Amino acid sequence: MASASKKLARMPAVKGARKLMLQHLEEAEAAVERLPRPDDPEALHDLRVALRHLRTYLAAYRKLFADTVSDKSLETLRELTQLTGPARDAEVQAQWLAEHSRSRRATTSPATHLRTRLTQHHEELLLDIRERFARDFPRLAARLRRQLKRAKASGRRTFGKDTAKRVVRQGHRLRERLDRIEGMADVEGAHASRITAKRVRYLLEPFGKLDGVHDTIQRLKELQDAFGELHDLHVMLETMSDVPESAHASRKRRAGSELAALASTARRRMTRLYAQSEQRWRGAEGAELDEALAQAASTLRKAGR
């Protein structure tokens, strides 16, 4: 409820940030315990979400915890988080092929071979993730919890006012990155914009019940989802281009044409996504997002008085 968001906004900055980080640390620990369960396919997703929130807050509020949270803890957390990325990519690509392939039932098609390879790769990566997290994450979580709790509140700035300042800063960075995107082929520019949008959204999420903030969060989520799909399709095209020609060129009609057709499907979707993004988040409509972020920051400052 709005009262809970206002209560959080009025906390001392260190106390509010610590509350959020400990919450997501607990969520990550719960997801790690679920990883070995074969009937829980959402465990990896939930782990990645919790880790992304935790890392975002640790980076955003780094100065508040600089004297207690060690670089070693941050580096270990980064390494473990990055370990989950390839497994997620393999899973997403296998699902995309399953949804778009014309020959889902043909065991000899190149798309089926690629999907099988990606599924097997995902399972292999998941085994490694389970082993590494079972071994290393409990120690890291205990160390982070101790370090976060040792931080002392300083100054009179509330969590709402402190977060508002960071929302403004990240909002300016988001606009700069969006304006620098040089067309659909600028994969790195779109990816950087997506990451910045995600960071702003995570900063606002704890205050989502305040007036107008929820709508701004939804705008950022739409931006993040669009550029995220754009990135996934680019990676999908790279994966398909890596399939050896000999694996799908043996017949006269060239079964490999299925992969070519899938690549065309991906490119058409990328073109539509980029055109929608150009219209929605750049130019006149993009200014509406900038104004919404400025208004959300103002709301946080008022709530934190």
Side-chain angles (χ1 to χ4, degrees):
M1 296 186 297
S3 59
S5 293
K6 289 181 178 179
K7 182 178 179 180
L8 179 65
R10 291 168 183 163
M11 286 183 178
V14 165
K15 186 175 180 181
R18 178 168 54 216
K19 176 182 175 66
L20 293 181
M21 286 188 271
L22 289 175
Q23 171 190 326
H24 291 293
L25 184 60
E26 291 177 1
E27 291 172 357
E29 289 176 302
V32 169
E33 291 182 0
R34 291 162 47 203
L35 279 177
R37 303 176 188 172
D39 60 341
D40 192 349
E42 294 299 314
L44 179 61
H45 170 75
D46 292 345
L47 173 61
R48 283 174 52 79
V49 170
L51 292 177
R52 287 201 304 266
H53 278 82
L54 180 58
R55 290 190 67 211
T56 295
Y57 294 142
L58 281 167
Y61 303 106
R62 182 73 179 108
K63 290 184 178 180
L64 300 177
F65 298 89
D67 294 334
T68 59
V69 176
S70 67
D71 290 341
K72 178 182 178 181
S73 293
L74 295 175
E75 179 62 19
T76 302
L77 181 61
R78 183 187 69 83
E79 290 176 355
L80 286 173
T81 303
Q82 290 182 341
L83 186 67
T84 67
R88 180 264 180 197
D89 289 345
E91 183 179 27
V92 168
Q93 291 174 41
Q95 290 174 347
W96 189 90
L97 287 170
E99 292 171 4
H100 293 87
S101 175
R102 298 192 307 268
S103 54
R104 285 189 286 265
R105 298 180 181 178
T107 59
T108 59
S109 78
T112 301
H113 281 302
L114 180 56
R115 187 169 73 248
T116 300
R117 192 181 77 191
L118 287 166
T119 300
Q120 291 173 344
H121 187 49
H122 171 260
E123 291 300 324
E124 292 167 357
L125 291 170
L126 192 54
L127 288 174
D128 186 37
I129 290 169
R130 289 166 178 163
E131 179 182 342
R132 286 287 303 280
F133 272 84
R135 185 186 70 203
D136 298 339
F137 194 73
R139 290 196 302 269
L140 172 62
R143 186 166 70 242
L144 271 174
R145 186 173 282 107
R146 291 193 303 269
Q147 293 172 346
L148 289 170
K149 289 181 177 179
R150 284 205 300 265
K152 304 296 183 182
S154 60
R156 300 178 59 185
R157 179 171 286 169
T158 63
F159 189 46
K161 289 184 177 181
D162 190 83
T163 302
K165 179 183 69 173
R166 301 174 197 281
V167 168
V168 170
R169 185 183 304 153
Q170 290 291 336
H172 289 160
R173 184 172 298 171
L174 175 60
R175 172 49 52 203
E176 291 172 358
R177 289 182 169 173
L178 285 169
D179 289 344
R180 284 204 301 264
I181 297 175
E182 299 179 352
M184 190 177 71
D186 187 5
V187 178
E188 291 184 2
H191 182 64
S193 298
R194 179 178 71 88
I195 296 300
T196 305
K198 177 183 67 177
R199 288 171 178 166
V200 186
R201 178 167 73 88
Y202 285 177
L203 290 173
L204 290 175
E205 275 184 346
F207 307 97
K209 297 298 182 181
L210 298 177
D211 289 342
V213 176
H214 175 74
D215 291 341
T216 305
I217 292 171
Q218 288 303 114
R219 288 185 184 217
L220 291 166
K221 188 176 187 305
E222 290 171 11
L223 188 159
Q224 182 185 338
D225 288 346
F227 282 128
E229 186 180 354
L230 197 66
H231 178 77
D232 287 342
L233 288 169
H234 175 76
V235 176
M236 185 74 254
L237 285 173
E238 288 186 337
T239 299
M240 287 191 288
S241 69
D242 288 339
V243 176
E245 184 73 16
S246 60
H248 54 85
S250 58
R251 296 188 178 184
K252 184 177 180 180
R253 291 178 60 89
R254 299 181 67 87
S257 62
E258 181 188 21
L259 288 182
L262 288 169
S264 295
T265 297
R267 292 190 189 97
R268 286 195 299 271
R269 176 60 178 164
M270 291 174 71
T271 300
R272 288 195 297 271
L273 281 170
Y274 184 76
Q276 292 167 4
S277 300
E278 277 274 284
Q279 179 180 355
R280 187 76 191 277
W281 295 295
R282 298 174 74 174
E285 289 197 39
E288 295 180 5
L289 173 62
D290 300 341
E291 177 60 29
L293 287 172
Q295 185 58 48
S298 177
T299 299
L300 264 61
R301 279 193 294 270
K302 292 178 183 177
R305 288 175 183 171

